[in-house]
Amino acid sequence: MTDLTHPAPSLSLAEAQAIARDFFGVEGGISPLASERDQNFRIIVHGESGFVLKIVNASEPQEQSDFQTALLDHLAQHAPGLSVPRLRRARDGQALAVVEAQGGPFRARMVEWQLGEPLAKAERTLETLGDLGRVLGDLDRAMQGFIHPGALRSFEWDIRTAGEARQRLGFVTDPEKRALLTRFLDRFDAKVAPRLPGLRAAVIHNDANDWNVLVDADGSGRVAGLIDFGDALHSLLIAEVAVACAYSILDLDDPIGAAAAIVAGFHGAYPLQEQEIDVLFDLIAMRLVISVTMSAQRHDKIADNPYLSVSEAPAWALLQRLDAINPVFATAILRQACGFDAAPGSRAAIGWIRAEAKGLHSVLSQHPARMRKGLVPYGDPANPMTVASATEEPEKATAWWDEHCAREGIDLGIGPWGEERTVYTSPMFESRLVAGTRRTRHLGLDLFLPAGTKLFTPLAASVKEVVIETEALGYGCLIKLEHAPEGCPPFVSLWGHLAHEAVGRLKPGDRLEAGDLVGEMGAPAENGGWAPHLHLQLSTATGLTATEILGVGEAPYLPVWAELFPDPADFAGVPPETFHQTGRSREAIVAERKRGLLPNLSISYEEPIKFVRGDGVWLIDDRGRAYLDCFNNVCHLGHAHPDVVEALARQAGILNTNTRYLHDNIVEYAERLTATLPDDLTVASFACTGSEANSLMLRMARTHTGRDEAIVLDWAYHGTTQALIDLSPYKYKRKGGEGRKAHVFEAAIPDSYRAPVDWPVAEIASRYAERVADEIAEMKRQGRAPGLFMAESIPSVAGQVFLPEGYLKEVYAMVRAAGGLCVADEVQVGFGRVGSHWWAFELQDVVPDIVTMGKPIGNGHPMAAVVTTKEVAASFNNGMEYFNTFGGNPVSCAVGLAVLDVIERDGLRANALAMGDYLLARFRKLQERHEIIGDVRGQGLFLGIELVTDRKTKAPATEFARAVNNGARRRGVLMGTEGPHDNVLKLRPPMIFAKADADLLMEVLEETFDEVAARQ
Ligand SMILES: Cc1ncc(COP(=O)(O)O)c(C=O)c1O
């Protein structure tokens, strides 16, 4: 090993010039160059860039000198494109010449002069630093296979033995500086050194300080090359990066950002491993520790070598800055710069939380998704609440907020993750990472509710810390929980600004199950002096203590914080729409509809809702409020069902065309659909809407029977074309209708609940069937006969009316006897909604001649179908083509198949039946408490609650029904009212409706009935 105390050679210029000439055949102008332990000269040769002559310290072992030679030879061969020293051999072919001089003999080596200027004199932009990393990566990749006995040396600059710097602590006289070094040394010994033997080792340059790095002199900032391989040795690969960083980041405002540029450049050229990056921050610091302790030691020994203290003061300053930076944060920045997770497993944890969000327990007693939310104005520095909070006037801030909530109808205040805030004014928010900047980005999610609001853990957890922060505008009571759900890397949740009651109740080590109480929102006296709220934060770095977790972070590092302290919105069940509104406002849409759309288009609710997303049983509005959808029977399997979406997108990406070309989907779908129907119904045809299906049915019936006459049920609705409006009493009898046409005959709604009281119960079906017989008789009187009888299998707009048992059997028999066809309109009630059967007509044990289908058939995709018998199909085939541009296209059929698959695969008919039975039982219980509920009826998930002001007279309670409907909407549940008197609550939830959904519906119904009843 070179003895550093051994004096450097001190040849005269004339001696050096003679060596260059005599041994290496080089003549030119000579000048001295700085060197720590050797003696270097520059020789400028006319017309060439020249050479460096190095007179090696006499104490350097031969093996070291040979190692240098072998290394430079290796690079010449394996990295010809890299600008590194190139050997000029002596006249005798040797790389080293042995020269005699005072203090000698010495070995002398000559290398070509490399162009460029030292990085020390250039601007250290991130681009240049990234380029430095790349050059070092290229170099070390080229050295991968190189080894030499001289490389295996012990050397105080070897970062693996950085711990030995402790022995030099005594040379550091300032006790504060000694304490600073001790902190790094202690960390190194405890946490870093034990990991080093597991890291990759290789021959490295080991001294890419800014005097050894050359940049292009043209100002481009590109790194031109590296000089001085005198410190090369076999050590940790990552030490190469650490050394480069230690020097290149000195004096910079954002040293970690600069180090990130270097390591990212290196990683791009020669991929690093996560465990290497995990020690980088400490190794950078340890390089500085070696440097400053060596300087201190040498000051002691050789007081006047200025080279030794070149980087000393900046090194101390950087050590002080690094000491203030949490290594986890620095490492997160370095990791992310290389494309790794900011903390091990952070992306997996974030992905898991997102994927499992729907199954997490609610953090509040009412789920935040269901609440009316508004953003707290902390993003606006001039807002009175922000000002009052920053000036520690929590009561004033609370009063402003409460008043705002009352005015805007807000139940839950939200302070978003990532928000730029000015409320954080104390010195503790000065950035430790980027000099001269402040931490301004909120890294938690705030939920504002009154003090005392109970907070529950969404996931099972173990309690890690329960602490009280006493500083003003601190957290007050703060709880750290750790979650380790199966299949997810462990992560932490932090609960700040709580009431102090938690301190006595929880202690580290306690286990909480999902849904268990964490704490209560604290009042200002306990919560750090804020308007009551929860600061909820996640950390994917589980090792951070509660107070280390950064509640507010630097804006430039938001992408790092997003992985280290991810947005807890999913964890807390706050939908993304809460934070960002897109498109037009509700008011603007209403105005534009009025201006540019048919005024007959109606809008639900006096205060219309703008939905922006559907998800299963939920519809989410433009402000992130989720409504339980108990009304929309089109999204049969739930909104945006993934299987249906996938089938639709897949087929749409392949082919969509009309039915004149052959395609598998249409025949496969026809097979699958008819297989759900009774044997005689074998011929399918496809359309796009229920109205189109019914219109096609009409043409079939007319062609088959030669008649126009139709018998329909009172208050029926069958579609929007003129021909169908004529068959829809619900339309032609009401405002704008033209009344009943002569070919249309109307039979009474077979409503058992409203059957005349003098009808014996057992005869209700026959009595209502007689009404149809009356119509047939009337037709006869007029010289007519029925072409068809059409009924919804459970009349819907008529008020969820369940046909009395045996009714259709009798009716079908008499219609058929009169030569008419029997048609079941299953547009609303089909596809297994009744649970026990695929089709609601099956409840009546009949087989129609034609069945029409729509709404749920495509789970929201516009499609419809008509299925009939061979005979009717044969008559319809009268020479006129049936062409429907879109009906039966490959995409629609793929969607139809997916819907059938899901119903079958997920047992949704059985679910509908079970949930329907459960709800009916609960409705009946509600009926016991509320006299106003006259009748409860349903089968599967087709349900009705009829409200009457008097159970005897059955006078419709229309107003009450409307009030319940509106009250449920206010509470976040969608239903409808139907029936000739609009007094029947109509419920048709999706087939995936779960018991929890049913319980929520009941909770809302019960509350709403109580509320409306109390108002009566
Ligand atoms: C029973 C019934 N039949 C037919 C239709 C018409 O279907 P569409 O609106 O798809 O044309 C409807 C629509 O509400 C309906 O309820």
Side-chain angles (χ1 to χ4, degrees), residues 688-692 694 717-720 792 796-797 825-828 852 854-855:
C688 305
T689 67
S691 301
E692 245 194 302
N694 276 339
Y717 174 68
H718 293 295
T720 192
E792 271 193 278
S796 174
V797 287
D825 181 334
E826 293 265 343
V827 168
Q828 286 217 26
T852 59
K855 295 190 194 273

